[in-house]
Each structure stands twice: as structure tokens, then as C-alpha cells.
Amino acid sequence: MFKPARMKKIEIISLDRYREDILKRLHELGAVEITDLKEKIDDPMWESLLEPHDADVNIKDTATKLSSIDSILESFEEVSPKYKDNFIKSLFKPTPPRKIPVEDVFGGELLQKAGNLISAVGEEIKDPIDAIDRIDKELLDLIDLKSSLERISALDIEIELLKPTKNLVSFVGICKMEDYAKISGNLDETGVKYLAEKVDISKEESILVATSLREESGAVANILRKSSFERAEIDFEKYDLHGNILNVISEVEEKIGRLGEERDELKKKVAESAEKWRDELESYQELLEIERERETIKTSLAKTENTFLIEGWVPAKDEKSVLDDIKKFGCSMVETTDPDDPKDVPVKLENPSFFKHFEGLTNLYSTPKYGEIDPTILLAISFAIFFGIMLTDAVYGLMTLALGIALWKGGGRYNESIKDFGVILAVAGIPTIVMGILTGGYFCDLPIKYLHIEWLKNLMVIDPLHQAMAFLIISLAIGVIHLNMAFLCDLINRAKKGIKEVTKGEVWLFPFEFGIVLIASLSHFYHYALFQPVPGMILGWGLLVISLVLLFISKGGLFLFGITGLLGDILSYARLMALGIVTSGIGNVVNLLAVLPLGMGALGWIFVAIIFLFGHALNFAINFLGAAVHGIRLEYAEFFSKFYAGGGAEFTPFEMKREVTENIKKI
């Protein structure tokens, strides 16, 4: 808590015959990040002892079989898509994921069984899939042909008249009506022999048929290409077309219908195969992916003639269990040591289970470095408070809490990201409810002003709209506390590097604040003059002098900018007050507008409901988003910037991830 998990460097040396078993066990444990030993092997100190571990002989075969299964599953998905929840259902009431039991097979046995499965399924679906592909291509061509014919259907002529002959070529298509004279003029100027016929199909477009000698067709095509003419493409070589254009269109439509029926029958066959084989294919897909991970990781190892070496990182809390497991394999040496250089250590955040849901917000900014303060807990508490102050309405808080719980208990059951988001919203809803009660906000001023529930006033501590200055002072005071936490974290970070490093930070602020508070308290409660020589006043002024000296040491000649910069940071927290007032102000306006139609009878009540519901929904959505964005901004720009560097490498253990199969128990 407040720091990433303590990590240990682990080295495993064992005989080759235990390699597969050890890698499998590490994969199941999911507690060790295996590092690439290439740099160590290239080190002159080790190059005579170690050599790179060979790639697994089965890695290519595994990749090929995975690709085959992926291809089959894609074919199944195209023909018979799996049911998927829509977006809303996936958030609040997702369908439970199915778990497919499968025997625990790996290595050569897995590849053999996967190959047999791929062959069996491939043989069953090859012909119908090929037939569907052929039909799809034919349907696309027929649809294009039908579209071309429909564009010129107003000609109402025999289609054979448009077919190219040995000596003649016909161009048929659509052109703008105003271009017809221009096309005719250009053709006349070239001196080519042609026949042209125009059929108007609208006020703007005409069908144009231009026929010329084959040897002059190039000149005609060039003139048409420079105009608005769009040629209707009809492949007379591919299709044997006869009769009136309208009749040909009917024949094409009939053929499209027949092919569609044939395609549907083939799809049914493939869908039956999908129902029969999909689960088994998905289970072997996952097993092969696990196998590929184990095969790929071998290239990160080093070896000697009869042994292999694994190096990596393990959280200190998992050290004993990993050591005990690996030592069960005979002739295996396992050693763990503390890290030499913190820069090389991967980072695993280690917060109490409740605060783990906020780790995503920390990582969104940057993963902390190893040994650096983990600000997740501080972020979780302050972000929730900021959100509550800015939204500042008890009913809006209940809505936020309900939305968070719905996500948490809905999609969060099967999706960690949705669960984290739901918990964050639920937590943020609680201070929002509290702030709403303290400011008298329940759909803003609805119950107090319009429903006359007077006792709610007794719970009010501050009215945001009428006590804006007090609200501003509270917001700035919260900002000072927040910044003090940031400077205290910075002080802790600097203290590790010595007193000289401490003086370069914002340590001047602490004696300055204590001095100001002491002087103000004595002058207010005991009515001492500011320069009265009593011990308390002397101490207060002494602290101010010390703070100014420390400020000069820290900032040098730019010490004034240290003060103005701090004031700017504090004033940034005025947004807490501003957004809180905006929420109340807009909500009050919505309530005012909603009551205006009350004198219109039953129709008026309908307008009241529409204005009230729509107005408050919009107010909630806008200020919900504003509270979230500005809350995060205060964390990242004002809080993190004072002490948090980030830039750590996230701990990525060699871990077996199972989404479909369930036979291997995850440890």
C-alpha cells in the first residue's frame, strides 16, 4: 500500500528434461515475469558459458494449426454468427460466458489431436464453403448486371441490339440532358460515322445509345469519357442475353433468387457444422495459444549443453510458493535476490482489494517506477470528493451510485474494466449524496422551493448560489490540503536522496503554513498584535523567515515565481465551486421552466414532465461529464505533477489466460 509490490529477482537452473514441466508450472502459477537473456548471453562475462536457447521445433506447426482454426471459425462466423449482447445489455445484463470443458493435452499430443480435428472439420465444410464463395461472386456480378440493365430499362428494346458485332460497337449509358448536344457536336467534329439515340428519363438525365464502327470506337469512347456519360457495363461475353431488356431483368432477378435459395441451403449445412464443431475448435484454439506462449518464451531462455537458465521477477509475497513448487523438480536450483538497479524492476501495484479498482486511473497517467509512491489510494479518495463537490446534488448522487452498482453487478461480473468503472462511479456517488444534503440539492431546489419540505433546510450547511464566497473558500481550502499531500509525497521521495535534495523541493511551504496559522490564531483568539514579542508570535515569525530562506534556496532568484505558481495551483481548485454552482444554477432554471405550464390543465402536466425529465437528464449528463473530466484534471495536472514521475514498466507475468476452456485450475 502506497508503494508498488516488493519484487525479487529469480534465477532457475535445471536439467533439460525438466524444462517442459517447469515452464508449464510457471505458466499455471502466473507469478513470474520471465526476462529475455539475450543481453546476458552477449555479455563477455557469460558468452563462453551460455548460448541462446533454440526456438521450439513445434512453433511453426502450432502457428499453422492456429491459423487453420482461426480461418474455420471465421467461416463459421460469416455463415452462422455467434450471439452477441448489444452494448446496453453487455453493460448491465450480460449473457454469462460459456465454459467448455476439455481434456488437458499439450505438446505433441495436442498438435496431433488439433490436426485430426482440423482435417475432420475441413473435409466436412470445404465443399459447401467453396460453393458459397462461388455463389457470392456470381451474385455480385448478377446484381451489378441487374443494376446496369435497370438504368437503361426505359429503352424497351431487344438486348441483342446493344451487343457488339464484328464491325459495330454500341455505347449505352446515362448522360446529363444538357450534354447531349455537346456530345453530338464533338462527334460530328471528329468526322466519325455514328448513330445516336436519346431517351429522356427525367428532367435532367437521358439514356444515350451511340453506335459506331469498331475501328472508330476509340474516338467515340474518348469523347464520351470527357463528358458526364456513365456507361452501363453489360458483359455480353459472360452472359447470353436475349429478348426485351425488361424481360432480361426479370430473368436475372429469377436467377438471383435461385442462387440465393441455393446459398441459404449451403449456409444451413455450414451452420450445422458450426453447431457441431465450434466449441471444440475454440477450446483447441485456446490450448494452442497457450502452447504457443510456452514455445515462444523458450527463446528468452539461455542454455548450456545439458541445462537451461530462466531469469525473471517474482513478487516477494509469491516467492516462497514459487520456490517450493520449482524445487519439487529434481536437480533444480532456484535462487532469489533483491534487485540491484530499480530501473530494471517491473512494477506491480499492490493496493487493498477495494482500491484496486482505481489502479486504472493511475496507470492511465503512467505506471509508477519501482520504489516510487503509488498514489492510487490518495487519488481514489480525493477524486470521489472532488466529483461530489462538483456534482453536488443528492438525487444526482443516487443516480450515480445506482449506475455504478448496476455496472458493477451487471457487466462487471464478467468484465474487469466494467467492474472497475462501476465501483468508481458507486464510490463517487456517495460524497455526491452527502454534498447534496449539505447544500440542499435534491433535483436542485425542487423539494425546498416547490414542494415546501422545510425540514430539509435544517440539514443544509451552505447554499452554493447565495454563499458563493464561502463555497469558494472551502474549495480553495480543499485545494490547499490536496496540494499539501502532493508536497508531502514529494518530500518523502526526496528524503531518500538526502537533505540537499529535500531543500530543492517545496519544503518551504510547511513552515510557511504553520507560521501563518500560528500568527493568525494568536492574533484572533488572544488579540495579540502582529509583532507582539510573545513566544507564540516569535515562533510564528521565525517559521516565516525559515520558509523564505528555504524558498530562496529552492528557487534562487526566481523565488517569487514559486509563490505565484503556488497561488495559481490553488486557484485552479476554484473549479470545484464553479461546477457546483453550475449544477445548482442550471437545475434551478430547469425547475423554474418546468412549473410554467402548470396552468394549462392536463396538457400542462405533460409539458411539466417533459421539461423536468429532459432538463434534469441533460443537466446530470453534462455536469457528470464535467465533474469526471475536471476531477481527473486536478489529479493529473495539479496533484501528480508535484511528485509523481511515473514511467515504470508494468509487471507482465508468464501467465496462462483462459477465456473459454475450464479444465486447468488457475492458481
Side-chain angles (χ1 to χ4, degrees):
M1 188 167 68
F2 294 114
K3 279 195 175 181
R6 182 165 160 258
M7 304 296 290
K8 303 279 281 187
K9 189 172 185 178
I10 184 170
E11 293 182 339
I12 302 171
I13 302 176
S14 186
L15 297 175
D16 283 341
R17 65 173 177 268
Y18 298 119
R19 181 185 56 229
E20 302 301 327
D21 292 333
I22 289 176
L23 285 176
K24 181 180 178 183
R25 188 56 187 151
L26 289 175
H27 208 194
E28 292 169 356
L29 287 169
V32 177
E33 177 179 326
I34 296 176
T35 56
D36 195 335
L37 291 175
K38 186 176 185 304
E39 288 187 11
K40 186 167 188 173
I41 295 168
D42 293 339
D43 190 320
M45 178 179 174
W46 292 96
E47 62 181 354
S48 61
L49 300 174
L50 300 174
E51 58 181 290
H53 198 287
D54 301 326
D56 194 284
V57 293
N58 293 323
I59 194 167
K60 186 175 180 180
D61 192 16
T62 302
T64 301
K65 287 179 168 54
L66 257 176
S67 177
S68 298
I69 290 179
D70 290 343
S71 178
I72 293 171
L73 289 173
E74 284 175 10
S75 298
F76 285 165
E77 190 65 21
E78 290 175 6
V79 174
S80 177
K82 291 196 298 184
Y83 169 78
K84 292 181 180 178
D85 294 334
N86 60 44
F87 178 70
I88 299 298
K89 192 173 188 302
S90 67
L91 290 179
F92 299 105
K93 196 176 180 181
T95 303
R98 292 185 308 113
K99 292 294 183 180
I100 306 167
V102 67
E103 58 182 322
D104 188 1
V105 290
F106 291 99
E109 184 183 4
L110 170 63
L111 293 175
Q112 181 180 352
K113 290 191 173 185
N116 294 339
L117 175 64
I118 292 167
S119 298
V121 180
E123 186 177 344
E124 185 173 303
I125 67 170
K126 183 180 184 306
D127 290 342
I129 290 292
D130 289 346
I132 289 173
D133 289 342
R134 174 184 53 78
I135 290 173
D136 284 343
K137 292 176 183 176
E138 193 171 348
L139 282 172
L140 286 174
D141 291 341
L142 287 171
I143 290 169
D144 288 342
L145 174 62
K146 178 174 173 284
S147 177
S148 297
L149 292 173
E150 285 177 339
R151 298 197 70 189
I152 62 170
S153 60
L155 286 176
D156 194 20
I157 61 174
E158 299 295 310
I159 194 72
E160 290 93 331
L161 296 177
L162 303 175
K163 186 175 182 179
T165 65
K166 181 178 179 181
N167 299 314
L168 298 175
V169 175
S170 293
F171 300 88
V172 58
I174 308 297
C175 73
K176 291 182 179 179
M177 195 177 294
E178 68 238 25
D179 284 355
Y180 178 72
K182 181 180 177 182
I183 292 171
S184 299
N186 290 338
L187 288 171
D188 291 337
E189 287 178 8
T190 60
V192 300
K193 297 180 179 63
Y194 74 95
L195 294 174
E197 182 178 350
K198 177 172 74 76
V199 178
D200 297 336
I201 55 176
S202 70
K203 293 181 180 180
E204 298 178 352
E205 291 184 329
S206 301
I207 300 174
L208 172 63
V209 180
T211 304
S212 70
L213 295 173
R214 182 172 288 278
E215 59 266 22
E216 295 178 338
S217 61
V220 176
N222 189 43
I223 290 170
L224 293 174
R225 194 180 300 115
K226 294 178 181 179
S227 69
S228 61
F229 181 77
E230 295 180 18
R231 188 173 185 180
E233 299 294 341
I234 303 172
D235 192 344
F236 285 99
E237 293 183 3
K238 184 173 183 178
Y239 300 105
D240 187 17
L241 305 176
H242 299 282
N244 184 276
I245 290 180
L246 294 175
N247 293 334
V248 173
I249 292 173
S250 297
E251 291 175 3
V252 171
E253 288 175 341
E254 288 177 8
K255 189 167 185 180
I256 289 173
R258 289 195 302 271
L259 287 173
E261 291 174 0
E262 184 180 346
R263 186 179 186 276
D264 289 341
E265 289 299 318
L266 291 167
K267 283 180 65 176
K268 286 180 182 178
K269 291 183 179 179
V270 178
E272 290 172 0
S273 297
E275 183 71 22
K276 176 181 175 183
W277 297 108
R278 181 180 268 146
D279 285 356
E280 192 172 357
L281 284 166
E282 287 182 349
S283 67
Y284 273 91
Q285 180 187 46
E286 189 165 279
L287 290 173
L288 286 168
E289 286 173 349
I290 292 171
E291 184 70 16
R292 182 170 61 179
E293 288 176 2
R294 293 178 185 172
E295 293 168 351
T296 303
I297 201 67
K298 292 175 184 176
T299 59
S300 299
L301 313 183
K303 70 171 185 175
T304 64
E305 185 176 352
N306 298 308
T307 66
F308 69 95
L309 169 65
I310 298 175
E311 282 191 5
W313 298 98
V314 60
K317 66 181 181 62
D318 297 325
E319 176 186 4
K320 185 177 184 306
S321 61
V322 172
L323 292 179
D324 290 344
D325 264 50
I326 300 305
K327 285 178 179 178
K328 292 176 183 176
F329 299 96
C331 302
S332 296
M333 294 172 50
V334 189
E335 183 181 41
T336 57
T337 55
D338 289 318
D340 298 325
D341 187 352
K343 293 179 182 178
D344 299 331
V345 185
V347 174
K348 180 182 181 182
L349 300 185
E350 191 173 48
N351 291 290
S353 57
F354 174 77
F355 290 101
K356 280 191 174 295
H357 302 293
F358 290 83
E359 289 179 352
L361 293 180
T362 300
N363 287 326
L364 185 63
Y365 183 85
S366 182
T367 302
K369 294 178 181 177
Y370 184 72
E372 186 180 20
I373 289 176
D374 174 8
T376 301
I377 294 178
L378 299 175
L379 178 149
I381 296 170
S382 56
F383 174 77
I385 293 172
F386 295 159
F387 188 94
I389 294 173
M390 288 186 278
L391 199 54
T392 190
D393 186 281
V395 179
Y396 290 176
L398 281 171
M399 293 164 63
T400 304
L401 176 61
L403 177 61
I405 292 174
L407 290 169
W408 178 3
K409 300 300 182 181
R413 288 179 295 170
Y414 312 116
N415 186 300
E416 286 299 320
S417 297
I418 295 176
K419 183 178 182 180
D420 292 343
F421 186 56
V423 172
I424 292 170
L425 289 186
V427 171
I430 295 172
T432 307
I433 295 170
V434 173
M435 279 301 301
I437 294 171
L438 297 178
T439 58
Y442 309 85
F443 277 135
C444 302
D445 62 358
L446 175 68
I448 294 176
K449 183 175 180 179
Y450 298 97
L451 302 180
H452 307 294
I453 305 176
E454 297 296 327
W455 63 268
L456 290 175
K457 291 182 179 179
N458 299 327
L459 302 176
M460 286 182 62
V461 173
I462 186 172
D463 185 337
L465 293 176
H466 296 94
Q467 295 175 287
M469 184 54 68
F471 197 5
L472 175 61
I473 292 171
I474 293 171
S475 298
L476 296 181
I478 290 172
V480 170
I481 295 170
H482 197 228
L483 289 172
N484 269 275
M485 288 195 300
F487 292 135
L488 182 60
C489 292
D490 181 58
L491 181 62
I492 293 170
N493 283 335
R494 291 177 181 274
K496 303 171 189 175
K497 302 176 183 178
I499 190 67
K500 186 176 180 180
E501 185 67 24
V502 168
T503 59
K504 294 179 181 179
E506 306 295 338
V507 68
W508 67 271
L509 181 62
F510 299 108
F512 179 82
E513 290 175 336
F514 282 124
I516 289 291
V517 170
L518 185 57
I519 292 170
S521 300
L522 291 172
S523 62
H524 179 75
F525 292 108
Y526 297 99
H527 306 290
Y528 290 152
L530 288 178
F531 297 101
Q532 189 169 341
V534 295
M537 279 293 183
I538 294 172
L539 176 60
W541 285 107
L543 288 172
L544 290 184
V545 171
I546 291 172
S547 71
L548 290 175
V549 172
L550 290 172
L551 176 61
F552 187 79
I553 293 173
S554 172
K555 307 296 183 183
L558 301 176
F559 68 94
L560 285 177
F561 290 103
I563 297 174
T564 56
L566 177 62
L567 289 174
D569 292 339
I570 294 172
L571 288 173
S572 185
Y573 289 83
R575 72 188 67 236
L576 299 176
M577 175 271 294
L579 267 74
I581 288 177
V582 166
T583 304
S584 299
I586 295 176
N588 291 349
V589 172
V590 170
N591 292 337
L592 180 62
L593 294 174
V595 299
L596 292 179
L598 282 177
M600 298 171 59
L603 182 62
W605 281 104
I606 295 175
F607 283 117
V608 168
I610 292 173
I611 295 171
F612 181 82
L613 293 175
F614 177 77
H616 278 290
L618 185 62
N619 189 33
F620 171 71
I622 291 173
N623 288 289
F624 174 95
L625 184 60
V629 170
H630 286 281
I632 286 294
R633 187 215 173 274
L634 287 174
E635 300 293 345
Y636 291 170
E638 310 301 341
F639 187 60
F640 279 20
S641 64
K642 303 298 182 293
F643 71 95
Y644 186 64
E650 191 172 351
F651 176 67
T652 52
F654 181 51
E655 181 179 22
M656 184 188 300
K657 298 179 178 66
R658 282 190 172 269
E659 297 177 359
V660 178
T661 56
E662 62 175 0
N663 64 304
I664 295 181
K665 186 177 180 182
K666 197 172 179 181
I667 297 175

